[in-house]
Amino acid sequence: MSSTLLVTGATGTVGRHVATELAERDCSLRVGLRDPDDVPNHLPTDAEVAAFDFARPETWGAALDGVDGLFLMRPPAVDADSVSGFAEAAARVGVARIAYLSTVGAEKNPLVPHHRIEKRVAATDAAHTLLRASFFMQNLAEVHREDIVAHDEIFVPAGDGETSFVDARDVGAVAATVLTEPGHENRAYDLTGAEAVNYHEVAEIFSEVLDRRITYAEPSLFEFVRRYNGRGYPLPFLAVMCAIYTTARLGLAARVTGDTEEILGREPRDMETFVEDYAEEFQPETQ
Ligand SMILES: NC(=O)c1ccc[n+]([C@@H]2O[C@H](COP(=O)([O-])OP(=O)(O)OC[C@H]3O[C@@H](n4cnc5c(N)ncnc54)[C@H](OP(=O)(O)O)[C@@H]3O)[C@@H](O)[C@H]2O)c1
């Protein structure tokens, strides 16, 4: 009998790719959705859908019933205790493997929720794999898309610092691999792309691929917060973003590892490929 794998955050940036990758493997796929009546088109049609909400422990039992492996992520608005508590409940009912989506440097930074969740996941009886991902390329197509589409600019306060961007599709493929293949138990991986680039270089890649001039506006933290707060992003969210971009500005987000390539057996996708594949998302809205 093939194993049953539960994917949390399956409507999100990484979880959707974990789900599509798992659908191609020999396993039964279950996705845990807050609204099981609203299944997005991008999810595999043969995925079993379970009602699941980190904030509603009464949904956990049915979502975990018969599950062997779990892709666990922390939605930005969910507290660390709920995510950790769910991991512990999963291990208690016999889930044998947990792959947890964390962030690079979480093990050294007690201030980030991932630090505490990692420790609690690692303390369960389940075999765990901690996936400490670098900054997703997809952030440029999500939170920063409007600047590119409406103003032909990249508007992040990262100065000249480099970032070892990783494509969320590769993170999803890694998660599917560690949940379905042996050799990744009780390990932690730092998932980066194959190179670090600064935002001047990112803007050049965008300009070449999209065939129009995209500039890097290089705003200050203040200018960034003013614009994004004006768009309705709440200050706590912007504080986290400023911390992330300050890390990049200081050159602390540039470390490149071979973990993604080693697990996938191929080079990680680069920024050029990302922009080519998402080019439609970046077309000016007037076209
Ligand atoms: N962005 C980056 O560059 C980066 C890099 C490294 C690590 N990370 C980490 O990645 C995680 C976010 O992953 P992501 O970007 O793939 O997610 P995402 O796109 O932000 O999506 C959030 C997902 O969580 C679900 N969700 C929200 N509240 C929920 C709840 N109460 N119960 C169950 N599900 C809930 C959402 O489902 P609905 O459809 O119901 O809203 C959605 O599927 C964060 O922990 C972040 O720190 C991010």
Side-chain angles (χ1 to χ4, degrees):
M1 209 176 70
S2 76
S3 54
T4 298
L5 298 172
L6 173 66
V7 176
T8 61
T11 61
T13 307
V14 173
R16 69 182 57 208
H17 299 296
V18 182
T20 48
E21 289 280 344
L22 285 175
E24 302 196 349
R25 291 164 187 254
D26 180 25
C27 63
S28 303
L29 170 64
R30 185 180 299 165
V31 292
L33 304 184
R34 282 197 288 183
D35 184 355
D37 296 325
D38 183 18
V39 182
N41 290 335
H42 62 74
L43 287 178
T45 46
D46 52 357
E48 184 193 346
V49 177
F52 169 71
D53 191 329
F54 283 107
R56 293 174 54 226
E58 66 272 22
T59 63
W60 297 2
L64 286 170
D65 186 37
V67 168
D68 305 288
L70 168 67
F71 171 72
L72 179 68
M73 51 78 66
R74 172 187 168 256
V78 172
D79 61 274
D81 261 345
S82 300
V83 178
S84 309
F86 179 64
E88 288 159 356
R92 268 199 308 277
V93 300
V95 172
R97 278 183 171 204
I98 299 177
Y100 175 60
L101 174 61
S102 185
T103 183
V104 280
E107 73 281 18
K108 291 176 281 192
N109 185 354
L111 296 178
V112 298
H114 294 297
H115 183 86
R116 301 192 293 285
I117 300 171
E118 281 195 2
K119 286 199 159 162
R120 284 177 61 179
V121 168
T124 67
D125 288 336
H128 61 273
T129 313
L130 305 176
L131 305 176
R132 296 180 181 137
S134 184
F135 195 76
F136 304 152
M137 296 175 185
Q138 277 72 6
N139 294 320
L140 295 161
E142 294 168 4
V143 67
H144 299 303
R145 177 177 172 271
E146 185 176 339
D147 299 312
I148 297 167
V149 167
H151 305 295
D152 287 339
E153 66 182 9
I154 293 174
F155 200 84
V156 301
D160 297 331
E162 292 182 338
T163 296
S164 56
F165 292 91
V166 67
D167 192 311
R169 295 173 293 180
D170 288 340
V171 179
V174 166
T177 303
V178 304
L179 282 169
T180 54
E181 294 177 19
H184 305 289
E185 296 84 356
N186 305 329
R187 310 238 351 224
Y189 296 113
D190 288 339
L191 304 179
T192 74
E195 61 175 355
V197 286
N198 64 38
Y199 284 90
H200 299 285
E201 292 165 315
V202 172
E204 268 171 39
I205 294 168
F206 268 76
S207 302
E208 268 167 41
V209 174
L210 300 179
D211 199 22
R212 70 180 201 271
R213 187 83 198 120
I214 306 292
T215 56
Y216 172 36
E218 217 180 327
S220 65
L221 288 172
F222 176 73
E223 289 165 328
F224 172 74
V225 170
R226 192 172 53 187
R227 180 183 285 192
Y228 275 68
N229 195 226
R231 281 186 194 157
Y233 286 95
L235 287 175
F237 174 82
L238 293 175
V240 172
M241 292 195 78
C242 285
I244 290 168
Y245 288 122
T246 300
T247 305
R249 185 185 279 264
L250 296 173
L252 302 173
R255 192 169 64 96
V256 168
T257 75
D259 289 2
T260 312
E261 177 163 2
E262 201 177 303
I263 296 164
L264 296 182
R266 61 162 173 80
E267 279 224 349
R269 292 175 171 93
D270 61 13
M271 183 62 76
E272 193 173 0
T273 306
F274 164 74
V275 185
E276 281 166 4
D277 292 349
Y278 285 72
E280 241 176 71
E281 310 272 336
F282 298 119
Q283 294 312 312
E285 267 155 14
T286 48
Q287 272 191 3

